[in-house]
Structures are given as structure tokens and as C-alpha cells.
Amino acid sequence: MINLIIRKVLNDYVAFINDFKHQFSPNMEEFEKKSSRNRSGHIDELKYQFHGAGCRLEKDGVICEFDFMPANEYSIKFCLWKMREFILTNKAYGIVKLEEPELHEVLHTLVEDGTLVKLVLGSVVWEIYQI
């Protein structure tokens, strides 16, 4: 089932994050400065908390975690666990159980078709997806 909706999930995930970024600070340079000062808070009904190189967003029970470091041309980074959490907490998808191997396989197909890119540092390919 996840195969059928993963592109919608990915679009929703990116839109969720981009909406927060725009409300928090539309300028990426200012976003980075502001995020180092305002580590947690609320914007309307959206709760945010920055941690290390990442951020946790929560709105209406939906949990959306993402990373934004190391800085490169891809502004959103996530691991399998973060995407799984987003899917399982979003009641709109109607998915109550999702095995990590199944999600890994689906994300791998998105890497193969160029929708997602894995993070490479030095010669190490990390299980971190970028978009």
C-alpha cells in the first residue's frame, strides 16, 4: 500500500517542512541564525523544537522530523525512522502499521529514479535521504 501513496507522502512531508520554514523565516540564512536562538516554540498550532542539526515539528498529532545539516544543495534530509514517524502519525494515510524494510524498499526506488538522493560524506554513503 505504501508504494501507491509514497509520492503523495513525500510531497506532504516537504510541504509541511517548507510551510514551517516560511513561517519561521523565509530567508534560509536568517532561518539558520534564528533557529540557533529560538530552539523551541509555537507558530499558531505548530509546535517546533530544534535539536542538533534537526528539527521536530508537531501539528494536529502529526510528527515531522527533518535535518538540515550538513549544508548542501538539498535543504531537507531525513532517515527512514523520521519518514516512518510522519506516515504513522498522519491519520490521512490510514496506515497503522509499517515495517521498516517495506519503507526502505520504497525509498530505495525513489533514490533509483532520482527523486531522492542519499547523503555522501567523503566516500561513505549514509542511510540519509535528501530532497
Side-chain angles (χ1 to χ4, degrees), residues 1 3 6 30 33-34 37 39-40 43 47 51 55 63 85 89 92 94 96 100-101 107 113 115 122-123 128-129 131:
M1 178 172 174
N3 284 346
I6 193 62
E30 180 62 28
K33 289 179 187 175
K34 194 173 178 183
R37 293 188 308 267
R39 301 301 291 169
S40 63
I43 299 174
K47 181 180 173 182
H51 52 83
C55 185
I63 296 171
E85 188 79 3
T89 60
V96 294
E100 287 187 11
L107 293 176
D113 76 12
T115 302
S123 60
I128 302 294
Y129 302 92
I131 190 164

Side-chain angles (χ1 to χ4, degrees), residues 8 20 29-30 33 42 46 57 65 71 74 84-86 91 96 100-102 114:
K8 177 175 178 16
F20 164 71
E29 187 175 306
E30 180 62 28
K33 289 179 187 175
H42 290 85
L46 178 75
L57 307 174
E65 295 237 12
Y74 302 102
R84 184 173 177 268
E85 188 79 3
F86 180 75
K91 303 300 182 221
V96 294
E100 287 187 11
E102 180 185 7

Side-chain angles (χ1 to χ4, degrees), residues 2-13:
I2 189 67
N3 284 346
L4 301 174
I5 64 166
I6 193 62
R7 290 190 189 278
K8 177 175 178 16
V9 168
L10 191 56
N11 287 337
D12 292 350
Y13 179 79

Side-chain angles (χ1 to χ4, degrees), residues 2-3 80-81 84 97-109 127 129:
I2 189 67
N3 284 346
L80 184 129
W81 179 86
R84 184 173 177 268
K97 184 177 179 188
L98 177 59
E99 300 297 328
E100 287 187 11
E102 180 185 7
L103 182 57
H104 181 268
E105 183 178 317
V106 174
L107 293 176
H108 183 71
T109 63
E127 286 298 313
Y129 302 92

Side-chain angles (χ1 to χ4, degrees), residues 23-120:
Q23 289 182 54
F24 189 74
S25 179
N27 176 294
M28 190 59 183
E29 187 175 306
E30 180 62 28
F31 175 87
E32 290 176 5
K33 289 179 187 175
K34 194 173 178 183
S35 67
S36 67
R37 293 188 308 267
N38 301 323
R39 301 301 291 169
S40 63
H42 290 85
I43 299 174
D44 297 328
E45 298 171 16
L46 178 75
K47 181 180 173 182
Y48 67 88
Q49 180 178 5
F50 289 97
H51 52 83
C55 185
R56 176 186 172 99
L57 307 174
E58 189 171 346
K59 181 178 180 181
D60 299 328
V62 176
I63 296 171
C64 181
E65 295 237 12
F66 70 101
D67 296 320
F68 49 91
M69 295 300 280
N72 61 21
E73 67 269 29
Y74 302 102
S75 62
I76 298 172
K77 297 165 182 27
F78 62 92
C79 64
L80 184 129
W81 179 86
K82 291 176 183 182
M83 180 57 66
R84 184 173 177 268
E85 188 79 3
F86 180 75
I87 293 167
L88 292 176
T89 60
N90 194 325
K91 303 300 182 221
Y93 305 132
I95 299 172
V96 294
K97 184 177 179 188
L98 177 59
E99 300 297 328
E100 287 187 11
E102 180 185 7
L103 182 57
H104 181 268
E105 183 178 317
V106 174
L107 293 176
H108 183 71
T109 63
L110 294 176
V111 170
E112 287 179 339
D113 76 12
T115 302
L116 296 174
V117 176
K118 284 198 175 180
L119 176 65
V120 179

